[in-house]
Amino acid sequence: MIYLDNAATTMPKPEAVYRAVEETMHTCASLGRSGHPAAQRASAVAYACREAAGQLFDTPPDQVVFTSSATHGLNIAIKSLVNPGDRVVVSGFEHNAVIRPLHALGADLVIAGRKLFDPADTLAAFAAAVTPETKAVVCTHVSNVFGYILPVEEIAVLCRDRGVPLIVDAAQSAGVLEVSLARWGAAFVAMPGHKGLYGPQGTGLLLCGRVPKPLLEGGTGSQSERWDMPDFLPDAAEAGTHNVPGIAGLLEGIRYLQSRGLAAVAAHEGQLIGRLARALSNHPNLTVYRGPAAAQSGVLSVSAAGLDCETVARRLGEAGVATRAGLHCAPVAHESAGTLRSGTVRLSVSDFTTEAEIDAAAGILGQICQL
């Protein structure tokens, strides 16, 4: 199988990830609950993961909160900052993990920046939209549909200058691009473990620039005499039993990235997406949603004349190429790009994708779209 669905979850993972999950199942109990060796091993694994993540994302270890996904983290972040009726500015490329919690809260949603692969327009739109009435800004770092890299660094400066808290959705950038809680001065940065960090499904991280409101209440192993949740990190946001095997796998994924280097990963993915875009761009029946190299990560969307996206993806799957078709849980992004009615076929790479796989997939897709 040629696996080009890495924007959903990366496959394969580094071998150390698989080994860590299995070993932890055999050797670790729950962290923070007991003093015996199996519990102490679990606590050591968790702290090592917080520490490694803190090094990678410029964050003190105690400000790294474990979550089950980026969606989980975004819900914590959004519900810590936003109240019903609050004015919240978001980009025109947000995932439903942002839009749905804000809608459920009854936020006054302002969408800023609709032009695909145009960072200057996005920044100008945010500058116009972020007013004194704005209670929060939520912005994706990279569009999960098109790979568009939004100008988060500049948006963060804008938010700091205007005293507005910023939440960043780093679901598609963590593990590929530089992510820094300290440099951005963000209130929160959410990310999954199972995408660019090469961890298992069911893992995620929330980098906390402030103490969040608890999304769940329950046991933490600390201050058990209290009826309310602890008011310090990370305990305030980590009720219940941790996914210790997942955390162990995530730690090894992060260690892989530390040894490989983010710049090398980004260069590899960028080169592959450029190669794929060039191979498909001259096909008469394909529309390729391609931006400048500096504004596009390892995700490419295409649409085919005369074929719906689900049919194209199904035929690719039958030929051994794994992709994703449809709206990708991001209708706002498709609305911005004019693809809401049609959807797209999304092809996404990882550090383990090869040039031979890209060339083969381009050839198969080209044959499918010969009408």
Side-chain angles (χ1 to χ4, degrees):
M1 177 178 65
I2 299 173
Y3 186 80
L4 296 179
D5 195 21
N6 292 280
T9 189
T10 47
M11 284 182 64
K13 315 288 186 184
E15 285 298 322
V17 173
Y18 305 126
R19 292 196 298 269
V21 172
E22 182 176 3
E23 180 181 350
T24 304
M25 290 289 292
H26 287 290
T27 61
C28 289
S30 293
L31 64 99
R33 301 302 196 269
S34 307
H36 54 74
Q40 291 177 341
R41 281 192 293 270
S43 294
V45 166
Y47 186 77
C49 190
R50 292 191 211 275
E51 195 169 42
Q55 292 167 355
L56 193 62
F57 302 121
D58 199 14
T59 309
D62 64 343
Q63 293 175 225
V64 177
V65 164
F66 295 121
T67 63
S68 63
S69 62
T71 299
H72 181 191
L74 286 165
N75 270 263
I76 294 172
I78 289 168
K79 292 169 184 178
S80 294
L81 296 180
V82 179
N83 295 306
D86 282 354
R87 176 187 172 94
V88 180
V89 178
V90 303
S91 83
F93 297 92
E94 298 304 318
H95 191 276
N96 277 342
V98 167
I99 298 300
R100 285 179 171 172
L102 289 169
H103 174 74
L105 282 168
D108 176 16
L109 210 55
V110 179
I111 299 177
R114 291 285 202 169
K115 291 186 179 179
L116 186 58
F117 301 121
D118 192 336
D121 176 78
T122 299
L123 184 58
F126 271 89
V130 179
T131 66
E133 293 75 34
T134 303
K135 299 301 182 182
V137 168
V138 189
C139 185
T140 188
H141 194 179
V142 173
S143 166
N144 73 304
V145 180
F146 301 103
Y148 169 35
I149 302 171
L150 280 72
V152 164
E153 189 93 26
E154 293 84 355
I155 291 169
V157 172
L158 174 72
C159 289
R160 292 200 305 272
D161 289 346
R162 300 187 184 183
V164 178
L166 170 67
I167 300 169
V168 178
D169 176 0
Q172 298 296 332
S173 61
V176 181
L177 305 179
E178 293 291 337
V179 171
S180 172
L181 180 71
R183 190 173 69 248
W184 292 347
F188 299 101
V189 179
M191 62 191 69
H194 66 283
K195 299 180 191 277
L197 299 185
Y198 295 98
Q201 293 99 320
T203 62
L205 299 172
L206 180 66
L207 314 181
C208 298
R210 60 181 69 188
V211 178
K213 295 178 183 177
L215 185 66
L216 298 172
E217 288 84 19
T220 59
S222 62
Q223 297 189 342
S224 295
E225 72 280 2
R226 297 178 59 165
W227 284 30
D228 58 348
M229 287 290 288
D231 56 1
F232 55 86
L233 287 167
D235 299 43
E238 290 186 357
T241 301
H242 294 76
N243 176 8
V244 180
I247 291 169
L250 178 56
L251 170 60
E252 292 304 325
I254 292 172
R255 285 174 171 168
Y256 168 80
L257 292 168
Q258 289 174 318
S259 65
R260 176 84 164 103
L262 296 185
V265 174
H268 177 72
E269 292 192 7
Q271 186 266 333
L272 292 178
I273 283 297
R275 186 183 186 96
L276 180 61
R278 288 189 297 273
L280 299 176
S281 289
N282 293 326
H283 195 290
N285 298 322
L286 278 174
T287 299
V288 180
Y289 297 90
R290 180 185 184 187
Q296 187 166 18
S297 70
V299 177
L300 185 74
S301 265
V302 301
S303 57
L307 288 172
D308 69 83
C309 63
E310 298 288 352
T311 298
V312 175
R314 176 177 54 79
R315 293 181 181 177
L316 282 168
E318 290 169 350
V321 182
T323 62
R324 182 176 173 185
L327 298 183
H328 315 95
C329 298
V332 170
H334 282 282
E335 187 176 63
S336 295
T339 54
L340 184 61
R341 290 178 61 85
S342 63
T344 60
V345 177
R346 184 185 70 185
L347 305 98
S348 49
V349 300
S350 83
D351 200 37
F352 293 94
T353 308
T354 67
E355 289 185 351
E357 289 176 321
I358 290 295
D359 294 343
I364 293 168
L365 180 55
Q367 292 173 358
I368 288 171
C369 296
Q370 294 285 3
L371 299 178

